[in-house]
Amino acid sequence: MSLVTDIKALAKEALGNLYPDVEIPGSSVTVNQTKPEFTGDYTLVLFPFLKLLRTKPDVIGKAIGEYMVNNSDWVASYDIVAGFLNLTIHDSYWASFVTSQYNNTTYGQGVPTDKTVMVEYSSPNTNKPLHFGHLRNIFLGYAMSGVLEVTGNKVVKANLINDRGIHICKSMVAWQRYANGATPESTGIKGDHLVGDYYVKYNDEFKKEVAQMVADGMEQETAEKEAPILKEAKVMLIDWEAGKEDVVELWKTMNGWVYAGFDVSYKRMGVNFDKMYYESDTYLLGKEVVQQGLEKGVFFKKEDGSIWIDLESEGLDQKIVQRADGTAVYITQDIGTAIKKYEECNLDKSVYVIGDEQNYHMQVLKLILQKFGHPCAEGIYHLSYGMVELPTGKMKSREGTVVDADDMMDEMIAIAKQQTEEAGKTEGFTEEELTTLYETIGLGALKFYLLRVDPKKKMIFDPKESIDLHGFTAAFIQYAHARICSILRKEGIEKMPKDNLFADFKLSEQISPAEKMLAVTLEQYPDIMQNAADEYNPSLLCNYTFQLAQQFNSFYDVHSISKAENDEKKQLRLMLIIMTAQVMRHAMGTMGINLPEKM
RNA sequence: GGCCCCGUAGUUCAAUGGAUAGAAUAGAAGUUUCCUAAACUUUAGAUCCAGGUUCGAUUCCUGGCGGGGCUACCA
């Protein structure tokens, strides 16, 4: 139970006892951390009670303040400033909090919920390598999985691979025409990049063919439909759906190259999946559901044979769920996949990490499943995130402004190396240790950069700013962590002592402002984690951990730990920094960001 | 056209309807005989406009202006 919860409960108790005749809604009890310019730790806002109780804030504040001091052993004193009741918590509360929790390895871990949650993320196409936009999706999905797991859920990480369709055939056609049998092995090119190269090649050739046809007198529009390479791709798609052997064989081979490439990227990113779904497997499932829905009367058939659902009563349009020729559209397979996931994994919740351009699509998906009456519908949650844009605007593959994911990782690691060398911090490391360190710093920076913004908001990716290792970055937190580890090494203390080294600790002196600030922030950690889960927002953890690191740095500046004024202070400070480092590791680790012990 | 989202320091981001709107970065000025200066301290700088609700509005409502997305028998 967190302190804020306790304060709220005590305030409600006080109001109930002091004003038994008046019903005070629980939602009107708001508690905030006290602003630094006032004395106190937490503040109860009195304004909401004034009208209900028809009394002045000073009177109510005094009554509640007195009650809280007298009826708890942790409220030390109170102070009323213009409608705000500022509460000061006893130093002994903070001391016992730190003493009891500093080496608790499960601090921040929530109670089990018995819920199973699937988080689907990454969900790439198999015709080109992962790009910077995928990185936001992947890190968000992985971090969210971690947050949900820490808060007590059983989490299934899933990846739905879009491995079929015309775009895949385009790469295949171009490869057939121009590759002369080139493979990742023969060229030394990573599989996903090799296939991506032929996707680019396809588009180049398509443009050339269209230009030629226009030059020969054809209308632009007609040419774009009649280009031979496009026709080839279309034929290939039909052959694929018909199961034509050589096409299927090529499809398998090229997808295999892509998967091998993705695996390397995922491994480097430090992410993984428990379940893989392939649209080539699931697209038929949806069609069965559509048939059932037709029988149930949820869907209806138009004269041309196409099947629709009417969502006008929900303020939306009519949506097609199956084409006139009987083939599946995008949403058809999503319907099938949603049900398959639900049934295979016994899901209570299903989180989809998908960009906000698909808000409408996801709304429709959920509505269709609700109308169909399937129990999986209620648990569907679209974790919608904004697009990543460049300072110059959107990334466009046609204009070649897409930033490749592998390149980005390389660049970040190179920057980490360069900055470490420039700072002259390479001494005392082996070559392997340095390689690991650069990865930890470079990838940490990249992940943090993408996770620190509220997922719902679109974000600007500024290459110049992203490589900065100062300020609101992972490196700042990593550095603070390394400093703590360094102190503990010199003191000969493990970073997470198994035994309670400070069992005989007794507080006799006042806690300093810097010491208290750390304790207060540490105490809030479980609440922050829960908020991140409730709001599906890992950026709260980034903000929190950065604040913790800032406070540690200030603390470190004003207080010596190894040369503390006396043994009591030294023990208190050691406990504080052990716990600070632990919470940093826990929070960052939940999001897949590692913290080095030296840097 | 219809529907949805977003406008906060020069820039990138914060702020369950609560106190004098916080950080980071860029700018200015400082700190190292002492546990890692990738740090710390000080300083200057912002709520798109106009109404409304409220004791109190960056937050909620209405109307503008500006930006983005969706509105396919594409995925």
Side-chain angles (χ1 to χ4, degrees):
Chain A
M1 204 41 77
S2 73
L3 181 56
V4 170
T5 322
D6 289 340
I7 294 172
K8 282 186 182 173
L10 187 59
K12 280 177 205 167
E13 184 189 312
L15 287 160
N17 278 308
L18 294 164
Y19 308 98
D21 307 333
V22 185
E23 183 70 27
I24 294 181
S27 59
S28 64
V29 178
T30 55
V31 173
N32 303 319
Q33 202 171 337
T34 306
K35 304 251 172 207
E37 53 268 36
F38 302 98
T39 50
D41 300 320
Y42 282 95
T43 296
L44 176 69
V45 185
L46 299 171
F47 294 107
F49 314 134
L50 303 187
K51 232 180 210 167
L52 291 163
L53 302 174
R54 311 215 303 176
T55 326
K56 287 181 182 168
D58 288 4
V59 178
I60 302 172
K62 189 162 194 300
I64 300 173
E66 285 294 333
Y67 184 95
M68 292 179 98
V69 169
N70 294 330
N71 291 278
S72 79
D73 53 6
W74 40 270
V75 178
S77 61
Y78 68 92
D79 184 32
I80 303 159
V81 183
F84 297 92
L85 177 65
N86 297 329
L87 303 165
T88 300
I89 307 302
H90 270 297
D91 279 359
S92 62
Y93 176 91
W94 301 117
S96 82
F97 164 72
V98 173
T99 314
S100 64
Q101 300 298 327
Y102 84 94
N103 68 340
N104 175 2
T105 51
T106 62
Y107 184 69
Q109 211 85 23
V111 290
T113 61
D114 297 325
K115 296 260 194 283
T116 302
V117 183
M118 178 173 281
V119 179
E120 178 197 299
Y121 66 99
S122 187
S123 307
N125 291 347
T126 55
N127 63 330
K128 51 180 185 270
L130 301 169
H131 59 73
F132 199 73
H134 289 113
L135 289 179
R136 187 176 197 193
N137 180 305
I138 292 167
F139 295 146
L140 191 55
Y142 187 80
M144 204 55 235
S145 302
V147 169
L148 290 168
E149 200 164 322
V150 165
T151 48
N153 304 287
K154 180 174 183 290
V155 174
V156 183
K157 297 193 284 277
N159 193 357
L160 172 64
I161 297 171
N162 181 0
D163 60 347
R164 58 171 217 107
I166 188 74
H167 48 291
I168 316 289
C169 294
K170 288 176 179 176
S171 294
M172 286 160 64
V173 165
W175 185 86
Q176 267 187 336
R177 276 204 193 181
Y178 307 108
N180 295 317
T183 67
E185 291 75 27
S186 73
T187 57
I189 298 171
K190 197 160 161 281
D192 50 337
H193 288 265
L194 181 71
V195 172
D197 289 346
Y198 286 99
Y199 187 68
V200 172
K201 180 74 178 163
Y202 168 91
N203 283 309
D204 290 348
E205 285 305 316
F206 174 75
K207 267 183 236 163
K208 272 191 217 162
E209 289 182 0
V210 170
Q212 185 59 51
M213 290 158 86
V214 169
D216 293 345
M218 194 182 272
E219 290 285 326
Q220 176 81 19
E221 223 171 283
T222 319
E224 282 177 6
K225 282 181 190 153
E226 295 297 318
I229 195 163
L230 173 63
K231 284 186 154 177
E232 268 183 63
K234 283 186 169 170
V235 167
M236 192 173 260
L237 181 62
I238 291 164
D239 287 346
W240 179 86
E241 294 207 1
K244 194 165 174 246
E245 217 172 291
D246 58 329
V247 172
V248 170
E249 205 48 49
L250 177 62
W251 172 77
K252 280 186 183 164
T253 303
M254 289 182 73
N255 273 351
W257 295 343
V258 173
Y259 297 144
F262 284 171
D263 282 347
V264 171
S265 299
Y266 287 142
K267 194 163 185 200
R268 198 171 188 201
M269 290 172 199
V271 304
N272 51 59
F273 303 93
D274 306 307
K275 274 261 181 197
M276 301 296 274
Y277 291 97
Y278 299 89
E279 292 191 351
S280 57
D281 287 339
T282 63
Y283 81 107
L284 294 171
L285 282 166
K287 289 169 72 171
E288 293 171 25
V289 179
V290 168
Q291 280 313 310
Q292 292 166 25
L294 207 51
E295 286 159 26
K296 275 191 178 184
V298 177
F299 305 131
F300 65 91
K301 196 175 250 185
K302 288 194 176 174
E303 282 168 19
D304 63 3
S306 58
I307 302 176
W308 296 70
I309 185 166
D310 186 354
L311 298 173
E312 280 169 349
S313 59
E314 275 78 17
L316 306 179
D317 303 331
Q318 296 190 349
K319 292 293 292 185
I320 189 161
V321 292
Q322 188 172 302
R323 292 191 190 102
D325 63 7
T327 57
V329 292
Y330 180 44
I331 203 150
T332 320
Q333 55 201 15
D334 280 349
I335 295 167
T337 312
I339 293 174
K340 186 183 165 95
K341 284 172 167 181
Y342 177 83
E343 286 171 354
E344 273 186 7
C345 302
N346 222 341
L347 299 179
D348 296 288
K349 243 181 220 158
S350 189
V351 178
Y352 291 73
V353 183
I354 302 179
D356 64 5
E357 76 275 15
Q358 293 198 42
N359 285 354
Y360 180 68
H361 175 79
M362 289 304 294
Q363 196 187 349
V364 169
L365 176 65
K366 184 161 179 162
L367 267 174
I368 288 176
L369 288 161
Q370 276 170 339
K371 288 216 155 198
F372 184 71
H374 197 278
C376 72
E378 286 318 307
I380 290 178
Y381 180 83
H382 177 201
L383 173 40
S384 166
Y385 64 92
M387 292 289 104
V388 182
E389 294 177 13
L390 294 164
T392 49
K394 277 193 85 167
M395 292 187 199
K396 291 184 181 136
S397 49
R398 262 181 254 133
E399 293 168 16
T401 53
V402 174
V403 180
D404 179 78
D406 290 321
D407 291 350
M408 197 60 220
M409 288 193 279
D410 288 341
E411 192 180 338
M412 291 305 292
I413 292 165
I415 295 289
K417 181 176 196 291
Q418 184 199 328
Q419 304 241 5
T420 305
E421 285 168 353
E422 277 174 13
K425 301 225 174 198
T426 54
E427 277 173 44
F429 289 92
T430 65
E431 276 306 311
E432 288 105 300
E433 284 171 341
L434 281 176
T435 306
T436 310
L437 181 66
Y438 300 149
E439 291 230 346
T440 303
I441 296 173
L443 292 177
L446 186 56
K447 291 179 188 183
F448 195 88
Y449 185 83
L450 287 165
L451 288 171
R452 66 185 198 179
V453 182
D454 185 338
K456 287 191 290 293
K457 300 193 176 170
K458 69 178 181 200
M459 62 175 290
I460 310 285
F461 164 65
D462 186 340
K464 279 204 279 308
E465 197 201 330
S466 68
I467 59 175
D468 194 352
L469 302 181
H470 301 267
F472 188 20
T473 62
F476 184 91
I477 295 159
Q478 289 170 328
Y479 181 63
H481 179 262
R483 282 172 126 184
I484 293 175
C485 291
S486 168
I487 298 167
L488 296 176
R489 262 198 309 277
K490 289 188 176 158
E491 289 292 323
I493 296 173
E494 290 172 90
K495 61 180 179 173
M496 188 40 38
K498 283 174 209 69
D499 305 317
N500 188 358
L501 303 174
F502 309 104
D504 60 341
F505 175 78
K506 286 241 163 41
L507 184 78
S508 59
E509 283 184 59
Q510 261 206 325
I511 290 180
S512 80
E515 290 161 348
K516 191 198 263 191
M517 202 184 289
L518 271 184
V520 170
T521 301
L522 289 168
E523 196 276 333
Q524 294 167 346
Y525 180 57
D527 270 2
I528 301 290
M529 182 65 81
Q530 189 59 52
N531 284 351
D534 293 344
E535 292 172 29
Y536 296 91
N537 184 359
S539 78
L540 299 178
L541 277 183
C542 293
N543 283 304
Y544 170 84
T545 315
F546 176 66
Q547 186 196 328
L548 183 63
Q550 268 183 319
Q551 290 175 355
F552 165 75
N553 282 333
S554 300
F555 165 92
Y556 178 87
D557 202 56
V558 293
H559 294 311
S560 175
I561 292 126
S562 54
K563 291 182 187 155
E565 299 88 295
N566 54 52
D567 200 45
E568 175 187 319
K569 281 291 185 195
K570 184 166 177 175
Q571 290 195 12
L572 176 66
R573 289 173 193 167
L574 281 170
M575 287 189 282
L576 279 169
I577 65 167
I578 288 168
M579 189 168 180
T580 299
Q582 161 65 12
V583 168
M584 284 175 172
R585 279 192 300 274
H586 192 266
M588 291 288 109
T590 299
M591 297 186 287
I593 298 173
N594 296 324
L595 303 184
E597 295 183 19
K598 278 199 295 184
M599 71 182 275

